[in-house]
């Protein structure tokens, strides 16, 4: 029988003035296990881990580490005790090499504070070999992939000899191909006696990887279950507190006229490399067209060309028979609602108020948002409009004057969706609209998209999540190295076929077709 | 031959204060501080160098006072920009203006003169004659007989490059500039690293000031740093902080300084003293062209 390496007892955390983030949470983690902590955004899973790591301080409760009561005042103390955390946003110095990043703060030094490069490299190398991480200690961090950077973060903690690793949504930054590799490495770490605590809201991953799962909802622990004895549905139900429909029911509907189309759209980057090659696609009214593809195959360039942020060197973009190829961005916005994949950078100005974020674009297009032909902003109308979005899109928010970033991820996305969809455009461009959202919010976003389809809007959905595409799209296009390589109705294809097209750019040749 | 050695020696002594201040500035540059206060630190150093040298009748005391005076400015910068998190640019402007005002005020109050203070009682920093080398024709006039601070500056350039690129302090210093959050999460206080970089900057600018008022000339005049702190800032930015690059740029500025003096025989002095500043602008232009080519 293994003993718990960490026990957290009755942890209470209240954020002033009266937000209860953790409501008497108790949990224990065993030596050498992979333990997932799941919950919706704002369920308190990150806060619980931050309390353990010393980034937040509990109002009451006790933490035992190897049966000794501890209190981590800051991250440094936690690391010294052997508890390390890899944050969601990777904190490394791109200009430094792998080994420089790893030793930063714990440098082996010789005379006059000179860094002992030889010793440093050897120590880093031995850690890399021990865990078979397949990294070159001398490569610069800016030259390596996101997945490799994550490994560097983990190595940085292993170099400091931690025995407990906390990972905050480690798969959020990875491509689907990179995830199995990470899981392999995490399993190897667990086998070597490290305890892995892993925050996620991707239920399939959690079930695949972890030994035990702790479910949290609204600051309380709901249960800790063995991964072997549970299912996706029961986890989702515990997380959300009600049943979640994983297969949204689609009403069959015959699409109307072509609303949006591109003809031979081609784009070159600054180094004159072709990034988009003769992309021709069309979206009809009342139709959801999905674009599947491994990230970096031209999706971003396609979105940028459509929204006027990049100039294609060839081709046409047409909405409702209006040629928008060379139109100003504002002109395009009369025809295109746009949800960008990056909520915090392009989708919103997170330091500004919710109110200001809601009226953006509208204030240029809708005269009701201003007095005197655009000279003065009409606050009264904007507030009414914000309240309308709050109600129609079930946004949980305080005052409209609060900073946008005070909203949870799901609510941020609802506000952006509300703003965009109420532009009442014929065409809607959605770029990864559910990235980083929890199951409840994803379900809501999907329902909203289907509702828009019901209103005969033309929808283009770019997503890295094949299940999402199969759940709501009518037709799936596969983009591969800047080219559309397939156009398949959902009813006539399956995930395996699309997955193969995404990776290889062509159909699988069936070897057994000779009889 | 005489004109050439004169021009080279002029270049070296013109480069020294810029190089020293820029080396100080490069520590703060790597630490991620937008530090424009080198001008003020240098001026304050120059004043206190004369004060110390005159009252103690000793040039080492002059250097010590120069460093202390410049450090005082650095400490104000630390208090506001690092501790109280005020805007670095505004703090730097305030310090530069404060340095002009306070040294002018103190000059009038303590020495009761306007404009410049020059007395035989001020002991200059001596020149160093290196035996044997001073016998070499032509080179001897350049390698030997320079001001002590100039030899010190060469050592400090090597030391700065070593500190920044080879030592633990350097690794943390550059980390503070590249990604402060990363450094903090590695268990090193960014604020502490930045404080040390400013203290180093203070010491280097103090030496630059001491060279101005006890080496280059032996007097203190109002606002005698005359934009050298700003030029040093330009030098730091031009070469992205690399100490060897800074040394080269400083020599070029030193040359234009000496060249300006030479030109005075033909042009009005108002135009010739513009030469270093025009050179700064030209250098910045080429830098921006280079940066733009890199981007594309």
């Amino acid at each position: 029988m293994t003993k718990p390496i960490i026990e957290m007892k009755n942890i209470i955390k209240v954020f002033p003035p009266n937000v209860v983030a953790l409501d008497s949470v108790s949990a224990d983690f065993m030596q050498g296990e992979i333990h997932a902590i799941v919950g919706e955004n704002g369920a308190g899973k990150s806060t619980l881990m931050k309390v353990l790591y010393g980034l937040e301080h509990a109002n009451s409760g006790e933490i035992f580490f190897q049966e000794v009561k501890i209190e981590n005042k800051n991250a440094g103390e936690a690391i010294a005790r052997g508890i390390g955390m890899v944050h969601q946003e990777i904190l490394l110095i791109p200009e430094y090499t792998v080994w420089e990043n790893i030793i930063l703060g714990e440098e082996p030094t010789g005379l006059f504070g000179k860094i002992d490069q030889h010793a440093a490299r050897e120590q880093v190398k031995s850690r890399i070999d021990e865990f078979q991480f397949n990294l070159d200690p001398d490569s610069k961090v800016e030259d390596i992939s996101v997945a490799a950077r994550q490994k560097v973060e983990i190595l940085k903690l292993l170099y400091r000899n931690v025995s407990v690793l906390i990972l905050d949504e480690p798969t959020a930054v990875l491509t689907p191909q990179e995830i199995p590799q990470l899981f392999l490495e995490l399993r190897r770490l667990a086998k070597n006696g490290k305890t892995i605590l892993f925050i996620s809201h991707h239920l399939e991953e959690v079930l695949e990887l972890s030994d035990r799962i702790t479910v949290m909802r609204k600051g309380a622990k709901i249960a800790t279950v063995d991964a072997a004895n549970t299912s996706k549905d029961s986890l989702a139900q515990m997380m959300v507190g009600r049943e979640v429909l994983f297969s949204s029911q689609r009403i069959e509907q015959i699409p109307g006229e072509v609303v949006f189309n591109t003809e031979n759209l081609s784009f070159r980057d600054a180094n004159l490399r072709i990034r988009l090659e003769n992309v021709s696609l069309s979206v009809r009214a009342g139709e959801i067209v999905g674009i599947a593809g491994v990230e970096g195959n031209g999706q971003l360039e396609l979105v940028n060309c459509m929204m006027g942020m990049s100039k294609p060197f060839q081709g046409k973009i047409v909405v409702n028979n209006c040629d928008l190829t060379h139109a100003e961005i504002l002109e395009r916005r009369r025809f295109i609602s746009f949800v960008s994949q990056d909520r915090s950078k392009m989708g919103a100005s997170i330091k500004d108020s919710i109110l200001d974020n809601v009226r953006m674009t509208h204030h240029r297009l809708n005269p009701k948002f201003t007095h005197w032909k655009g000279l003065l902003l009409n606050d009264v109308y904007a507030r009414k409009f914000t309240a309308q979005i709050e109600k129609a899109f079930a946004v949980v928010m305080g005052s409209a004057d609060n900073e946008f970033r005070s909203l949870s991820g799901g609510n941020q996305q609802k506000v952006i969706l509300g703003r965009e969809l109420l532009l009442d455009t014929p065409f809607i461009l959605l770029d990864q609209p559910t990235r980083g959202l929890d199951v409840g919010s994803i379900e809501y976003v999907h329902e909203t998209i289907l509702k828009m389809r019901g209103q005969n809007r033309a929808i283009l959905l770019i997503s890295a999540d094949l299940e999402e595409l199969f759940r709501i799209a009518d037709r799936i296009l596969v983009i591969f190295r800047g080219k559309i390589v397939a156009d398949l109705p959902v009813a006539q294809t399956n995930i395996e076929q699309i997955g193969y097209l995404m990776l290889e750019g062509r159909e699988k040749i069936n070897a057994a077709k000779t009889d | 031959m005489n004109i050439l050695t004169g021009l080279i020696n002029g270049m070296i002594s013109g480069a020294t204060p810029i190089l020293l201040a820029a080396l100080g500035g490069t520590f703060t540059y790597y630490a991620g501080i937008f530090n424009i206060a080198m001008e003020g630190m240098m001026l304050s150093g120059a004043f206190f160098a004369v004060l110390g040298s005159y009252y103690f009748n000793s040039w080492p005391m002059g250097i010590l006072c120069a460093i202390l005076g410049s450090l005082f400015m650095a400490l104000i910068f630390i208090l506001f920009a690092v501790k109280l998190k005020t805007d670095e640019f505004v703090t730097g402007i305030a310090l530069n203006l404060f340095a002009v005002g306070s040294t002018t005020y103190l000059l009038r109050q303590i020495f009761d003169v306007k404009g410049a203070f020059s007395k035989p009682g001020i002991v200059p920093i001596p020149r160093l004659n290196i035996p044997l080398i001073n016998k070499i024709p032509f080179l001897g006039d350049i390698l030997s007989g320079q001001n002590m601070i100039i030899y010190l500056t060469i050592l400090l350039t090597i030391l700065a490059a070593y500190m920044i690129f080879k030592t633990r302090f350097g690794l943390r210093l550059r980390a503070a500039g590249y990604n402060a959050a990363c450094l903090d999460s590695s268990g090193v206080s960014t604020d502490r690293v930045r404080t040390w970089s400013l203290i180093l900057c203070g010491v280097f600018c103090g030496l630059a000031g001491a060279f101005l008022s006890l080496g280059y000339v032996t007097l203190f005049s109002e606002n005698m740093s005359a934009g050298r702190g700003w030029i040093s800032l330009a030098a730091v930015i031009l070469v992205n902080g690399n100490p060897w690059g800074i040394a080269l740029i400083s020599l070029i500025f030193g040359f234009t300084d000496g060249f300006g003096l030479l030109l005075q025989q033909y042009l009005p002095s108002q135009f010739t003293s513009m030469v270093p500043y025009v050179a700064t602008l030209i250098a910045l232009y080429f830098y921006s062209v280079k940066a733009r080519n890199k981007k594309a």
Side-chain angles (χ1 to χ4, degrees):
Chain A
M1 185 67 205
T2 37
K3 276 182 295 189
I5 185 167
I6 292 171
E7 278 183 275
M8 301 183 81
K9 287 188 176 161
N10 303 319
I11 305 290
I12 295 176
K13 171 75 194 173
V14 181
F15 286 114
N18 54 3
V19 181
V20 181
L22 293 173
D23 186 2
S24 194
V25 174
S26 299
D28 54 76
F29 308 109
M30 302 291 172
Q31 163 99 43
E33 75 168 342
I34 301 183
H35 193 124
I37 295 131
V38 300
E40 295 199 273
N41 288 331
K45 49 193 192 314
S46 292
T47 313
L48 185 69
M49 289 299 106
K50 282 181 181 165
V51 168
L52 180 58
Y53 188 52
L55 286 180
E56 299 281 0
H57 303 285
N59 297 85
S60 80
E62 295 173 306
I63 302 173
F64 294 89
F65 180 63
Q66 291 167 330
E67 296 179 335
V68 183
K69 188 175 165 182
I70 57 164
E71 194 179 339
N72 292 326
K73 287 194 186 65
N74 54 49
E77 279 188 35
I79 291 174
R81 288 201 167 94
I83 302 172
M85 183 161 174
V86 176
H87 298 273
Q88 221 173 330
E89 61 281 9
I90 291 173
L91 272 183
L92 291 172
I93 295 173
E95 293 87 348
Y96 279 7
T97 63
V98 168
W99 69 264
E100 282 175 326
N101 265 291
I102 290 171
I103 64 161
L104 181 64
E106 295 272 330
E107 305 88 347
T109 48
L111 226 54
F112 303 118
K114 184 178 196 299
I115 290 175
D116 189 341
Q117 289 200 16
H118 183 72
R121 233 191 243 115
E122 282 307 304
Q123 287 181 31
V124 168
K125 192 106 187 52
S126 78
R127 292 295 194 301
I128 292 177
D129 293 340
E130 184 184 348
F131 299 103
Q132 300 169 35
F133 264 14
N134 190 24
L135 267 176
D136 176 9
D138 288 309
S139 44
K140 268 195 179 179
V141 165
E142 63 191 348
D143 297 330
I144 64 179
S145 70
V146 176
R149 289 180 199 188
Q150 203 168 42
K151 282 187 218 172
V152 177
E153 287 261 24
I154 294 172
L155 273 171
K156 197 168 166 178
L157 294 172
L158 295 175
Y159 174 81
R160 288 161 168 77
N161 286 321
V162 300
S163 50
V164 178
L165 266 174
I166 306 168
L167 301 158
D168 191 358
E169 303 201 20
T171 55
V173 292
L174 299 182
T175 61
Q177 289 71 34
E178 292 167 329
I179 291 171
Q181 181 68 24
L182 173 72
F183 283 7
L184 197 74
E185 279 149 2
L186 291 181
R187 283 202 196 95
R188 202 177 291 132
L189 287 174
K191 208 174 279 170
N192 287 8
K194 309 282 183 198
T195 305
I196 290 166
L197 311 180
F198 144 91
I199 301 174
S200 178
H201 41 228
H202 222 286
L203 296 178
E204 281 118 17
E205 282 173 16
V206 163
L207 282 167
E208 189 195 328
L209 180 69
S210 45
D211 301 311
R212 292 198 302 155
I213 300 165
T214 292
V215 184
M216 297 190 63
R217 189 206 314 153
K218 290 184 181 155
K221 187 178 108 169
I222 303 301
T224 298
V225 292
D226 284 331
N229 305 329
T230 187
S231 67
K232 193 174 157 189
D233 291 306
S234 74
L235 281 178
Q237 198 170 343
M238 281 192 274
M239 267 169 71
V240 184
R242 62 183 161 79
E243 258 185 82
V244 178
L245 303 168
F246 273 106
S247 44
S248 323
Q249 56 284 59
R250 239 188 338 221
I251 308 149
E252 282 312 314
Q253 135 181 6
I254 298 159
E257 296 283 300
V258 170
V259 170
F260 173 85
N261 69 302
T262 66
E263 282 167 31
N264 294 328
L265 204 63
S266 305
F267 173 72
R268 272 192 292 243
D269 66 14
N271 298 323
L272 297 181
R273 250 183 313 194
I274 302 264
R275 292 296 185 167
L276 286 178
E277 199 174 337
N278 294 327
V279 172
S280 297
L281 57 91
S282 61
V283 188
R284 293 161 178 275
E287 185 186 37
I288 301 175
V289 174
I291 293 189
V294 176
E295 229 166 294
N297 271 289
Q299 293 96 324
L300 187 69
E301 290 78 5
L302 185 62
V303 167
N304 284 346
C305 284
M306 286 184 189
M307 295 315 299
M309 291 173 287
S310 306
K311 296 252 168 285
F313 70 87
Q314 172 191 314
K316 256 166 91 171
I317 299 169
V318 179
V319 183
N320 271 354
N321 298 322
C322 256
D323 187 346
L324 293 182
T325 318
H326 303 290
E328 293 288 313
I329 292 179
L330 193 65
E331 188 57 28
R332 292 169 202 247
R333 303 290 271 132
R334 291 181 200 279
F335 297 93
I336 310 177
S337 296
F338 172 49
V339 175
S340 72
Q341 61 165 289
D342 194 340
R343 278 195 290 284
S344 55
K345 287 204 183 108
M346 198 180 283
S349 168
I350 57 171
K351 285 184 187 171
D352 282 312
S353 67
I354 301 170
L355 184 74
D356 285 342
N357 271 288
V358 161
R359 68 172 148 207
M360 278 173 198
T361 318
H362 288 273
H363 75 292
R364 297 287 297 276
L365 295 178
N366 186 343
K368 281 188 186 149
F369 280 82
T370 51
H371 299 295
W372 298 332
K373 304 201 166 156
L375 276 177
L376 264 186
L377 290 170
N378 181 347
D379 266 8
V380 179
Y381 189 82
R383 274 176 208 286
K384 239 195 274 172
F385 186 70
T386 309
Q388 188 190 337
I389 287 181
E390 186 179 359
K391 203 163 148 237
F393 289 82
V395 185
V396 182
M397 59 183 236
S399 158
D401 296 313
N402 288 349
E403 282 186 3
F404 186 76
R405 61 177 165 187
S406 68
L407 296 171
S408 73
N411 283 313
Q412 290 185 1
Q413 194 69 338
K414 285 177 180 175
V415 170
I416 293 172
L417 266 176
R419 177 187 73 205
E420 293 301 322
L421 298 181
L422 289 176
L423 282 170
D424 268 327
T425 57
F427 176 60
I428 300 170
L429 174 60
L430 304 167
D431 187 8
Q432 315 267 20
T434 58
R435 170 176 281 190
L437 297 187
D438 53 70
V439 247
S441 306
I442 290 176
E443 190 195 15
Y444 183 86
V445 171
H446 286 172
E447 274 172 16
T448 310
I449 297 173
L450 287 171
K451 215 192 293 169
M452 290 299 127
R453 173 177 174 264
Q455 292 174 12
N456 265 331
R457 309 241 210 142
I459 298 158
L460 188 65
L461 170 66
I462 297 170
S463 177
D465 182 355
L466 284 184
E467 286 191 25
E468 169 168 275
L469 292 176
F470 275 86
R471 208 173 299 145
I472 59 174
D474 297 299
R475 206 148 50 86
I476 296 180
L477 311 179
V478 180
I479 190 164
F480 180 78
R481 296 195 182 150
K483 276 195 266 195
I484 302 284
V485 293
D487 179 352
L488 300 160
V490 167
Q492 292 165 27
T493 182
N494 54 47
I495 291 201
E496 287 70 38
Q497 187 187 11
I498 298 287
Y500 193 86
L501 281 161
M502 277 166 60
L503 289 175
E504 301 292 328
R506 56 185 166 81
E507 294 276 353
K508 198 170 185 168
I509 298 155
N510 201 340
K513 66 177 177 186
T514 38
D515 53 1
Chain B
M1 216 51 172
N2 264 339
I3 290 184
L4 191 61
T5 46
L7 205 59
I8 291 175
N9 281 332
M11 169 170 88
I12 291 171
S13 51
T16 301
I18 293 170
L19 176 55
L20 276 170
L23 286 175
T26 200
F27 285 112
T28 55
Y29 175 83
Y30 276 116
I33 304 168
F34 191 56
N35 175 12
I36 58 166
M38 277 92 82
E39 177 81 11
M41 292 183 192
M42 205 196 297
L43 184 60
S44 160
F47 177 80
F48 283 99
V50 165
L51 188 77
S53 175
Y54 181 70
Y55 276 107
F56 294 99
N57 268 317
S58 128
W59 58 266
M61 286 310 288
I63 293 180
L64 185 69
C65 289
I67 291 175
L68 290 178
S70 172
L71 265 181
F72 175 69
M73 290 291 182
L75 289 177
I76 297 177
F77 199 100
I78 292 166
L79 173 67
F80 280 93
V82 180
K83 279 271 169 266
L84 303 175
K85 311 274 178 216
T86 56
D87 186 89
E88 286 157 1
F89 190 76
V90 174
T91 311
I93 294 267
L95 269 187
N96 287 342
L97 293 176
F98 174 65
V100 176
S102 60
T103 52
T104 306
Y105 173 78
L106 289 175
L107 179 73
R108 291 177 191 181
Q109 287 299 310
I110 297 176
F111 300 112
D112 212 18
V113 289
K114 272 186 182 175
F117 173 69
S118 166
K119 272 238 172 92
I122 307 172
V123 186
I125 300 168
R127 291 169 179 275
L128 211 62
N129 270 310
I130 308 173
L132 292 180
I133 289 179
N134 60 1
K135 297 284 193 305
I136 306 170
F138 180 60
L139 277 183
D141 290 341
I142 295 165
L143 294 180
S144 173
Q146 300 284 9
N147 193 289
M148 276 176 67
I149 296 266
I150 291 175
Y151 297 108
L152 182 66
T153 305
I154 297 167
L155 290 180
L156 286 176
T157 310
I158 299 166
L159 183 72
Y162 177 80
M163 278 176 84
I164 291 169
F165 296 113
K166 295 286 180 216
T167 66
R168 172 163 71 183
F169 173 76
L171 190 75
R172 294 175 175 186
L173 179 81
R174 286 178 290 142
Y178 285 135
N179 189 342
C182 175
L183 185 64
D184 277 322
S185 80
S186 303
V188 182
S189 160
T190 302
D191 283 357
R192 187 173 297 171
V193 172
R194 291 193 169 152
T195 301
W196 277 110
S197 78
L198 277 162
I199 288 173
L200 281 169
C201 181
V203 172
F204 277 68
C205 289
L207 287 172
F211 178 78
L212 272 187
S213 60
L214 297 179
Y216 201 59
V217 290
T218 312
L219 57 87
F220 179 83
S221 66
E222 289 172 17
N223 197 16
M224 78 180 294
S225 51
R228 286 185 181 83
W230 294 102
I231 293 176
S232 73
L233 176 70
V236 171
I237 294 172
L238 268 170
V239 297
N240 293 324
N242 187 305
W244 304 112
I246 289 173
L248 181 73
I249 298 277
S250 302
L251 282 174
I252 294 172
F253 282 130
F255 173 75
T256 59
D257 213 9
F259 189 61
L261 287 178
L262 195 72
L263 278 184
Q264 271 182 17
Q265 300 170 13
Y266 315 102
L267 285 169
S269 66
Q270 285 88 343
F271 284 100
T272 57
S273 46
M274 266 164 49
V275 171
Y277 310 104
V278 172
T280 308
L281 281 179
I282 294 170
L284 278 174
Y285 172 76
F286 282 111
Y287 170 76
S288 81
V289 169
K290 194 182 79 187
R292 220 178 312 147
N293 286 344
K294 228 189 216 166
K295 237 185 197 170

